[in-house]
Amino acid sequence: MFLIGFIVKLYIIVLLLRTSMTKQELYFNPFGKIVASMTEPVYGALLKGKNKSQADKLTPVLILLIVVLYAFLFWVFSGYPFMQALFVTIDDILIFLMLFYIIAIILGSMVNTYGASIYTSFFHRMGLFWVKLARTFTGIPGNIIVLPAVILVFLAYIIIDSGLWMGFNLIGQGTADPVTSLMHVTENGLLSIIGILRYLTWLIIIRALMSWVSPDPSNPVVQLIHSLTDPIMRPFSRLVPPIGMIDISPIILIFVIEFLRIFLERLIGIIF
């Protein structure tokens, strides 16, 4: 089921990327061509002759159908009752979307700074809804709005997932404890956000390994990895000077990230 979940989430990302791209980017940008090749068969079959704006409106429906299919497959392979399988998969996708939009907001804020690329622009567009919503409530200018926008995404996740938990408990047990549901969802959400640091560690390791083989800088995967890691690696490299010809900043950064992750996980465990 891990592989199925990974494929489902990857395709949801592809669908969201397609929505954030212009028609020109889908057909002329190397990364856009990959996204188009993965989505055109679906959109072409469902919306023949429709323009991109009309096709984009179909994206939420497609994501919903994918989640239902994910729940069906989980039900088949896990042996859980269908309602429980549906709940588990929706909960999983909600956590994933929360993390995805938090990452999009943070990386999108780098669009006009160092290491900015076309991929940074895609993240900027995908997180723009939450940034605009947070700015509507707070009126905060500039990149300071990133923190309120991230908090807004997290609060939206807590509200929706707490409601999901209470509904599931009400159906299954006949009772629903709002406080217990809220505490559980908050703890799970915070641990999931902290878990992003583990993925960041692996991305830094991959980037460090790639530097040994001098990969093609125009490769879409290479550019994407650089876009994901540049915001933290570039400023950290300035703080840690190389030893001779060896750049030790990735190694020290990995230790710092892992120390922070373990500390925060233990802190959350104490609080909750």
Side-chain angles (χ1 to χ4, degrees):
M1 281 308 301
F2 172 80
L3 180 60
I4 293 175
F6 176 79
I7 294 173
V8 166
K9 293 166 189 173
L10 179 62
Y11 199 71
I12 288 176
I13 291 176
V14 172
L15 291 175
L16 293 174
L17 276 169
R18 178 193 169 91
T19 304
S20 72
M21 293 178 174
T22 64
K23 188 174 181 180
Q24 289 74 20
E25 287 168 339
L26 283 171
Y27 294 104
F28 297 105
N29 178 276
F31 192 62
K33 289 180 180 179
I34 296 174
V35 172
S37 67
M38 295 176 68
T39 56
E40 281 299 326
V42 177
Y43 283 91
L46 296 176
L47 290 173
K48 292 182 178 179
K50 301 294 183 180
N51 59 38
K52 185 177 183 299
S53 177
Q54 292 171 313
D56 288 344
K57 294 178 182 178
L58 184 66
T59 299
V61 178
L62 285 176
I63 291 176
L64 182 61
L65 291 175
I66 289 171
V67 173
V68 173
L69 177 61
Y70 182 25
F72 175 77
L73 293 173
F74 187 75
W75 171 59
V76 170
F77 289 106
S78 68
Y80 289 173
F82 181 75
M83 287 303 298
Q84 185 175 356
L86 181 63
F87 164 77
V88 170
T89 50
I90 292 176
D91 181 66
D92 185 37
I93 295 300
L94 283 175
I95 293 175
F96 163 72
L97 288 174
M98 184 254 306
L99 296 177
F100 176 80
Y101 279 112
I102 287 176
I103 293 171
I105 291 168
I106 294 172
L107 292 178
S109 68
M110 310 292 178
V111 70
N112 293 319
T113 61
Y114 49 79
S117 67
I118 185 63
Y119 305 101
T120 313
S121 299
F122 296 149
F123 285 113
H124 173 73
R125 296 173 201 169
M126 287 185 284
L128 196 56
F129 168 80
W130 296 100
V131 171
K132 288 182 176 179
L133 190 61
R135 188 162 280 141
T136 299
F137 290 134
T138 64
I140 297 175
N143 275 353
I144 303 175
I145 195 63
V146 167
L147 181 58
V150 167
I151 292 173
L152 189 61
V153 171
F154 185 62
L155 290 176
Y157 158 74
I158 289 176
I159 293 170
I160 296 171
D161 208 26
S162 294
L164 181 68
W165 271 92
M166 286 189 290
F168 178 74
N169 289 332
L170 193 60
I171 293 172
Q173 303 174 8
T175 60
D177 184 353
V179 175
T180 302
S181 298
L182 186 64
M183 293 289 287
H184 173 78
V185 170
T186 302
E187 179 184 9
N188 200 26
L190 289 173
L191 288 174
S192 298
I193 292 173
I194 295 169
I196 294 176
L197 297 175
R198 181 178 285 111
Y199 296 107
L200 180 59
T201 296
W202 279 108
L203 284 173
I204 293 171
I205 292 173
I206 293 171
R207 175 167 174 166
L209 293 175
M210 287 194 312
S211 66
W212 296 354
V213 296
S214 300
D216 181 6
S218 63
N219 184 287
V221 175
V222 174
Q223 291 183 353
L224 182 60
I225 290 175
H226 277 264
S227 294
L228 292 169
T229 54
D230 271 347
I232 188 170
M233 286 196 67
R234 283 181 178 250
F236 198 82
S237 295
R238 298 192 189 105
L239 297 174
V240 182
I243 299 177
M245 298 295 291
I246 301 175
D247 182 10
I248 63 169
S249 61
I251 299 174
I252 297 177
L253 180 57
I254 288 171
F255 277 111
V256 170
I257 291 173
E258 284 301 296
F259 173 80
L260 181 62
R261 180 183 64 81
I262 295 171
F263 171 76
L264 291 175
E265 285 179 348
R266 291 182 178 178
L267 181 61
I268 295 300
I270 293 172
I271 295 174
F272 289 93

